[in-house]
């Protein structure tokens, strides 16, 4: 039996990049979002490093399940199943209250033309116009509307009970009766073979898009002389609150997945890595699913299993096209300039940013798919791992490994808590000893950390 040599005659180094792109001059094994079995509270904002996401702090609080947050004329507004409210100092005053609490009520709000007025509907009320102090009912507007959008300086409205798309007069959201063919009002019938009703409405890329559950319809033109409604693709929407426009794309949740549409080619389904979440959506309450964007990520909250309001929040990286899972659950989103906010089911409004979650250290983890070394066995090899990482002050990092392709017992190979008051940059050595060819890694901790890369060294006995 030969002893291990001091310098093995055959050795191999592999660089594992958690978010793609590092050390391409050597053999790399890339671990992207689809190659992890579990990731919580991490993202790829500093590509290609994987790091713990930003924390959040509480900005304001209300009562009940918040389903809308936005600003109008520099003032905060929020909505729930009971009504629409305006922030006044540290409290909220009602703009309009329904007289009951109904979280399933479909309603929408939007600003139009010069942004001096706010408009909102709830599926049964006439269109309301609000200027920051006084509320006006626009009795001529389409009744029983739940979806509103703006396009070419006109207001468009649709409802879940018929297939009529109404549009206002040019630059006048209060005009729903004039008949001038160039500046006047009108309505368009949008039918499908099965008679399905609208589920959402938005303006995007110089046209209006009307969604139904299984179809999308695009309106082109400027007035009644050239309005043209087409049905380009058999892709629908199940929640109007997941319709999110960005500078380049339109995103929304369909019955079979989350879609990206750039206006020219067919919509692309981008949700295959999270298909288990998509397949478990509670369709009876799918209207509560909601999405938003901060410019880098698109956030998506889903109602899954037996839940009746959102119970999981995920986000999609627009640059790396990776999905990440968050530990918090958001019920509404809003981007105020460069600052991102989200609301919760218990009436809180959170401001993103910081090193902890409202005073609590962030708990994060990442588990990789199994590694193996071809047909080598542990009797022939030594597996040494180097984890290149940064740990912020008052944060921790643990590295475990487990034998086999799934299941098994995790063995801790390294634990470190940074109490120095300065960021620690570490090159962590891990020796893996398992009775099997395959093994997996799990890194986890509290606070903030960055995982730059994993260097895997495999040394074997010389011939």
């Amino acid at each position: 039996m030969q002893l291990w040599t001091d310098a093995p005659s055959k050795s191999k180094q592999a660089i594992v990049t958690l978010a793609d792109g590092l050390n391409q001059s050597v053999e790399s094994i890339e671990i992207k979002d689809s190659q992890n079995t579990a990731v919580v509270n991490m993202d790829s904002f500093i590509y290609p490093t994987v790091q713990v996401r930003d924390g959040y702090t509480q900005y304001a609080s209300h009562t009940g399940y918040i389903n809308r947050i936005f600003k109008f004329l520099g003032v905060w507004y929020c909505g729930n199943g009971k009504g629409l409210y305006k922030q006044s100092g540290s409290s909220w005053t009602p703009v309009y209250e329904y007289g009951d609490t109904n979280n399933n009520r479909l309603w929408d709000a939007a600003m139009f033309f010069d942004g001096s007025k706010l408009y909102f509907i709830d599926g049964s009320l006439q269109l309301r116009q609000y200027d920051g102090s006084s509320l006006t009912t626009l009795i001529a507007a389409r009744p029983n509307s739940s979806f509103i959008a703006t396009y070419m300086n006109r207001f468009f409205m649709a409802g879940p009970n018929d297939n009529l798309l109404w549009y206002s007069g040019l630059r006048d959201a209060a005009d729903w009766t004039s008949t001038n063919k160039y500046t006047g009002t009108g309505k368009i019938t949008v039918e499908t073979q099965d008679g399905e009703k609208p589920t959402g409405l938005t303006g995007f890329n110089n046209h209006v898009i009307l969604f139904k559950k299984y179809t999308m319809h695009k309106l082109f033109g400027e007035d009644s002389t050239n309005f043209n409604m087409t049905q380009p693709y058999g892709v629908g929407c199940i929640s109007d609150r997941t319709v999110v426009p960005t500078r380049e794309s339109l995103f929304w949740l369909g019955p079979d997945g989350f879609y990206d549409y750039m206006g020219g080619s067919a919509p692309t389904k981008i949700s295959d890595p999270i298909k288990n979440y998509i397949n478990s959506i509670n369709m009876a309450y799918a209207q509560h699913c909601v999405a938003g964007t901060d410019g880098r990520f698109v956030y998506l909250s889903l109602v899954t299993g037996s839940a009746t309001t959102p119970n999981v929040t995920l986000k999609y990286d627009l640059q790396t096209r990776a999905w990440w899972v968050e530990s918090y659950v958001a019920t509404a989103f809003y981007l105020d300039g460069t600052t991102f906010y989200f609301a919760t089911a218990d009436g809180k409004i959170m401001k993103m940013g910081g090193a902890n979650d409202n005073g609590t250290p962030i708990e994060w983890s990442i588990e990789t798919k199994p590694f193996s070394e071809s047909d080598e066995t542990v009797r022939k090899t030594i597996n040494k791992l180097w984890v290149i990482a940064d740990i912020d002050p008052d944060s921790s990092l643990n590295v475990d490994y487990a034998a086999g392709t799934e299941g098994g017992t995790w063995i801790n190979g390294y634990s470190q808590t940074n109490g120095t008051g300065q960021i620690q940059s570490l090159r962590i050595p891990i020796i893996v000893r398992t009775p099997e060819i395959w093994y997996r890694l799990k890194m986890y901790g509290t606070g903030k950390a960055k995982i730059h890369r994993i260097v895997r060294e495999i040394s074997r006995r010389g011939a």
Side-chain angles (χ1 to χ4, degrees):
M1 179 176 180
Q2 291 181 313
L3 298 175
W4 284 93
T5 61
D6 290 336
S9 60
K10 295 182 180 180
S11 65
K12 176 180 177 181
Q13 185 182 76
I15 304 297
V16 179
T17 63
L18 288 179
D20 194 3
L22 272 180
N23 298 307
Q24 295 301 301
S25 62
V26 299
E27 180 181 353
S28 64
I29 302 173
E30 299 164 359
I31 304 178
K32 301 181 184 179
D33 63 299
S34 60
Q35 295 172 322
N36 290 307
T37 58
V39 181
V40 178
N41 286 338
M42 302 193 78
D43 62 43
S44 51
F45 185 82
I46 310 176
Y47 180 80
T49 292
V50 172
Q51 72 285 310
V52 177
R53 61 155 173 84
D54 281 345
Y56 54 81
T57 55
Q58 183 173 327
Y59 169 77
S61 63
H62 197 264
T63 57
Y65 164 53
I66 296 179
N67 56 23
R68 298 287 194 288
I69 52 173
F70 58 89
K71 272 188 172 181
F72 168 58
L73 299 180
V75 178
W76 276 98
Y77 290 77
C78 76
N80 57 25
K82 189 177 180 180
L84 176 65
Y85 299 86
K86 173 183 179 180
Q87 188 180 40
S88 301
S90 59
S91 61
W92 298 85
T93 57
V95 175
Y96 185 86
E97 289 187 309
Y98 302 117
D100 63 353
T101 300
N102 178 9
N103 287 333
N104 293 321
R105 180 182 283 111
L106 283 173
W107 68 281
D108 203 356
M111 282 158 276
F112 172 65
F113 191 39
D114 61 359
S116 63
K117 303 289 192 302
L118 173 69
Y119 300 86
F120 66 94
I121 50 179
D122 78 338
S124 59
L125 295 174
Q126 289 294 122
L127 182 66
R128 259 50 173 190
Q129 176 182 281
Y130 184 67
D131 62 5
S133 58
S134 59
L135 190 65
T136 304
T137 301
L138 304 182
I139 59 175
R142 180 208 143 95
N144 304 319
S145 296
S146 295
F147 314 116
I148 52 182
T150 62
Y151 164 67
M152 297 300 293
N153 292 326
R154 295 180 187 270
F155 218 56
F156 289 79
M157 302 177 67
N161 300 315
D162 62 48
N163 285 310
L164 295 177
L165 176 64
W166 290 47
Y167 57 91
S168 73
L170 186 65
R171 295 186 294 275
D172 189 355
D175 178 13
W176 296 88
T177 58
S178 60
T179 58
N180 183 286
K181 65 180 180 179
Y182 299 108
T183 63
T185 67
K187 52 189 174 183
I188 302 168
T189 301
V190 186
E191 284 287 350
T192 57
Q193 287 185 341
D194 59 3
E196 58 175 331
K197 302 300 190 294
T199 57
L201 186 67
T202 190
F204 175 72
N205 199 22
N206 294 322
H207 52 266
V208 169
I209 295 180
L210 175 70
F211 286 103
K212 299 188 177 185
K213 185 174 182 179
Y214 298 108
T215 56
M216 59 180 288
H217 307 257
K218 296 201 299 183
L219 177 68
F220 295 90
E222 293 78 35
D223 53 56
S224 62
T225 65
N226 60 4
F227 274 149
N228 179 33
M229 180 67 76
T230 65
Q231 181 185 329
Y233 308 111
V235 177
C237 176
I238 58 174
S239 173
D240 68 302
R241 295 180 57 218
T242 64
V243 180
V244 176
T246 66
R247 287 180 298 178
E248 298 179 349
S249 296
L250 183 70
F251 296 88
W252 70 86
L253 180 65
D256 61 341
F258 197 61
Y259 283 87
D260 177 1
Y261 174 61
M262 301 185 70
S265 58
T268 302
K269 185 165 64 173
I270 59 174
S271 56
D272 282 348
I274 58 166
K275 60 184 178 182
N276 290 340
Y277 291 100
I278 298 295
N279 293 339
S280 63
I281 291 175
N282 184 348
M283 288 297 176
Y285 294 90
Q287 73 271 19
H288 293 292
C289 297
V290 60
T293 183
D294 61 4
R296 170 61 185 269
F297 298 96
V298 173
Y299 295 76
L300 176 64
S301 292
L302 301 176
V303 182
T304 66
S306 59
T308 59
T309 57
N311 61 342
V312 61
T313 295
L314 309 101
K315 64 182 180 182
Y316 178 71
D317 192 326
L318 295 172
Q319 291 189 19
T320 65
R321 309 189 74 80
W323 282 97
W324 308 95
V325 183
E326 310 288 59
S327 63
Y328 62 82
V329 178
T331 57
F333 302 98
Y334 181 72
L335 179 62
D336 182 23
T338 59
T339 306
F340 194 58
Y341 295 82
F342 68 88
T344 64
D346 59 353
K348 293 182 175 62
I349 298 176
M350 300 295 187
K351 178 181 178 180
M352 291 296 292
N356 56 64
D357 287 347
N358 205 29
T360 302
I362 303 170
E363 296 187 2
W364 59 272
S365 65
I366 180 170
E367 296 180 22
T368 70
K369 280 190 174 180
F371 297 104
S372 73
E373 176 51 26
S374 186
D375 59 351
E376 299 290 343
T377 69
V378 324
R379 295 183 179 87
K380 298 179 183 177
T381 64
I382 291 178
N383 289 274
K384 177 186 280 189
L385 301 171
W386 297 91
V387 178
I388 315 302
D390 293 340
I391 310 176
D392 281 17
D394 301 318
S395 302
S396 65
L397 169 64
N398 303 278
V399 184
D400 292 6
Y401 66 90
T405 57
E406 58 185 40
T409 301
W410 290 101
I411 301 169
N412 181 253
Y414 180 88
S415 294
Q416 175 70 37
T417 299
N418 182 4
T420 65
Q422 297 179 339
I423 295 176
Q424 290 185 348
S425 296
L426 303 171
R427 183 178 171 89
I428 304 164
I430 306 292
I431 304 297
V432 177
R433 298 181 177 89
T434 71
E436 302 181 34
I437 297 173
W438 298 90
Y439 63 93
R440 295 166 291 123
L441 284 182
K442 176 171 71 172
M443 290 163 283
Y444 59 98
T446 58
K448 300 278 283 187
K450 300 180 181 70
I451 310 298
H452 298 294
R453 65 185 184 274
I454 300 172
V455 179
R456 185 163 63 101
E457 298 179 351
I458 299 96
S459 301
R460 65 176 181 264
R461 198 190 302 269

